[in-house]
Amino acid sequence: MSFLRVLCCSTVLLAGCTLLESNPNQTWAPPTAQHLTAQNLQRLRAHPKSPTDTVRFVFVGDSQRFYDETEDFVRSVNQQPGIDFVLVGGDISDFGLTRELRWVHRRLSGLRAPYLTVIGNHDQVGNGRAAYQQVYGPLNYSFRYGGTKFVCVDTNGRESGFRGRVPDVPWLRRELADTAGVRRTVVVSHVPPTDSDFDPQLIPAYTAAIGSSPQVVLHLAAHIHRYTAEQPYHDGVPYLTTYHMGKRRYLVLSVWGAGQFNLQTVSYGPAA
Amino acid sequence: MRALLLSLLLGAAVLPALAAAPTDPPTPPVPSTTDGLIAQPWYRPHHLIGQVAGGQGMVTVGVGYTTLRGRLDVDVLTGYVPRKYSITPMGIFTGKATYSPWTLGLGASRWQVRPLSVGGLVNYTASRGMNASLDGKYPKGYYWWPARSRAGAFVGGRVAYELPTKANGQPRTASLYYELGTNDLYLVSLYSNIKALSVADILTLGIGVKVDL
């Protein structure tokens, strides 16, 4: 059997499996659209950096039901020089459905750089947590690139009824404490602690953990669909939020040195 | 002369009927084979259903009723999706109406084809681990759609094979059908992304069998 025939059979089979849907909330995804966090981290590590190198990445949020715009986003990001990876700040889907995650992935897989995500509140509706775990991976995870550690944490407290467990602050403390070989840390979440969808009883512990970690350069979030930059806890940690995909804008962030960063906003139009 | 001939002819036509009328036994009402009104208790379903996919479960069973001269099927189904494809197993309860305006016989064979069906359904997915979207966790209007209730629409077709007729003269068939459909959330996604998404992206396929009781 030729390679083409195998490919053709599997494509037909895949289309058939997608069509034969038991329920929109089912968590099935084809193997190529599974464990994307691990797949993309592997791609990232294929281009290692030294601890002294600047890390440059794109940060955008809330791709939920903005497929037209996501295509234009990919076109624009692919024209940016020197992007190490793209970070999507949650609400990848609108309804927490596997098929939505796959629609977004089909577009974001066109990025020249690998992309990484953090889970948003919309991604937790229905069977969304299981869909995210299958398509992307763990809800809390961290990775190192060069001398920078990125801690991606689920902060969607309202989705679990504000029961004092989301975000997982003990996990965050452990991640922030594990700084061997780390020059700077960036915390990434979907809901910022300044928002009413963040579990109010965990705000002090969460922000204290971040504020007391000298390595933290930035706290990044999305959810509120606009760019903001402030130091709400007067601890030297800037809290940024980014644009949603529908806004046709994104941030390009560079981090280097002991805690330096640079921020650029890029606007893009619809494809001609 | 012409008038006489005419009255004779008329009389010849009418007389045998008049003569026969008193002796004929009353004819029993013939059960209709076309109007779908089946002489049985209303609660007794007309057919059994087995289905896979179509958003109604990995494995789905149901019962249904046929009306409107056999053109409309009204079905209720219960579907199951195992834990492997969910947080906790899903039970899916569906109400569905399928309208098939045409039935074509295939020559002298026992096969029939319904080339086109259109239908709609609503269903509720019960699953303990699913995160509800309209409960007390959220302020009013936080999300606009229910995570567990879906509405769907489909087009389809059906191939039927005539089984031996029932004792009361009702026809019976066993049939294989398909439904190519979508649901409200996929439609909303397509509507706001006409450029990036296509109809093919939002389609689901269901395949099932119906056997008349």
Side-chain angles (χ1 to χ4, degrees), chain B residues 10 36 96 102 113 122 128 202 211-212:
Chain B
L10 268 175
K96 176 161 73 176
W102 305 291
V113 174
V122 286
R128 209 165 32 82
I202 66 161
V211 180
D212 288 333

Side-chain angles (χ1 to χ4, degrees), chain B residues 122-154:
Chain B
V122 286
N123 64 26
Y124 179 82
T125 300
S127 184
R128 209 165 32 82
M130 262 176 73
N131 186 12
S133 58
L134 298 175
D135 63 3
K137 300 194 295 288
Y138 311 102
K140 205 170 184 296
Y142 192 83
Y143 295 130
W144 59 264
W145 72 96
R148 293 178 171 137
S149 303
R150 287 279 65 73
F154 57 86

Side-chain angles (χ1 to χ4, degrees), chain B residues 4-76:
Chain B
L4 184 68
L5 200 65
L6 199 66
S7 60
L8 268 175
L9 275 173
L10 268 175
V14 172
L15 266 176
L18 286 174
T23 56
D24 256 7
T27 46
V30 177
S32 165
T33 56
T34 55
D35 66 3
L37 296 171
I38 295 171
Q40 61 186 23
W42 64 269
Y43 51 83
R44 199 175 140 192
H46 300 164
H47 49 257
L48 294 179
I49 307 158
Q51 186 180 315
V52 293
Q56 297 148 59
M58 186 165 280
V59 217
T60 306
V61 293
V63 295
Y65 300 85
T66 302
T67 184
L68 292 186
R69 295 169 180 265
R71 288 178 184 148
L72 184 70
D73 278 8
V74 179
D75 305 328
V76 286

Side-chain angles (χ1 to χ4, degrees), chain A residues 16 18-28 65-69 71-72 75 94-97 99-100 103 106-107 121-122 124-130 134 158-162 195 197 223 248 270-271, chain B residues 52-58 81 84-88 90 92 125 127 129-131 133 137-139 142-145 147 150 180 183 185-186 188-189 192-197 200-207:
Chain A
T18 303
L19 264 180
L20 283 169
E21 187 174 86
S22 302
N23 189 279
N25 293 294
Q26 75 183 34
T27 55
W28 181 83
R65 209 145 52 77
F66 291 117
Y67 306 103
D68 285 354
E69 291 82 354
E71 290 187 350
D72 300 332
R75 250 187 301 273
D94 204 20
F95 310 118
L97 305 177
R99 222 188 256 214
E100 292 184 281
W103 288 337
R106 200 199 299 163
R107 279 145 193 106
N121 57 301
H122 280 256
Q124 301 201 351
V125 174
N127 269 338
R129 286 187 189 96
Q134 167 136 63
R158 188 182 290 283
E159 295 303 315
S160 3
F162 290 150
D195 190 83
D197 293 327
H223 188 57
R248 295 183 181 277
Chain B
V52 293
Q56 297 148 59
M58 186 165 280
V81 176
K84 193 181 173 198
Y85 303 99
S86 180
I87 292 173
T88 51
M90 290 189 258
I92 302 154
T125 300
S127 184
M130 262 176 73
N131 186 12
S133 58
K137 300 194 295 288
Y138 311 102
Y142 192 83
Y143 295 130
W144 59 264
W145 72 96
R150 287 279 65 73
L180 208 50
N183 65 57
L185 298 184
Y186 289 171
V188 166
S189 302
S192 50
N193 294 277
I194 294 295
K195 191 162 67 87
L197 291 183
D201 288 320
I202 66 161
L203 286 182
T204 62
L205 176 66
I207 298 170

Side-chain angles (χ1 to χ4, degrees), chain A residues 242-262:
Chain A
T242 189
Y243 305 99
H244 73 292
M245 195 67 89
K247 189 82 180 168
R248 295 183 181 277
R249 279 183 193 171
Y250 57 87
L251 300 178
V252 180
L253 285 151
S254 303
V255 289
W256 72 91
Q260 276 90 346
F261 69 92
N262 177 276

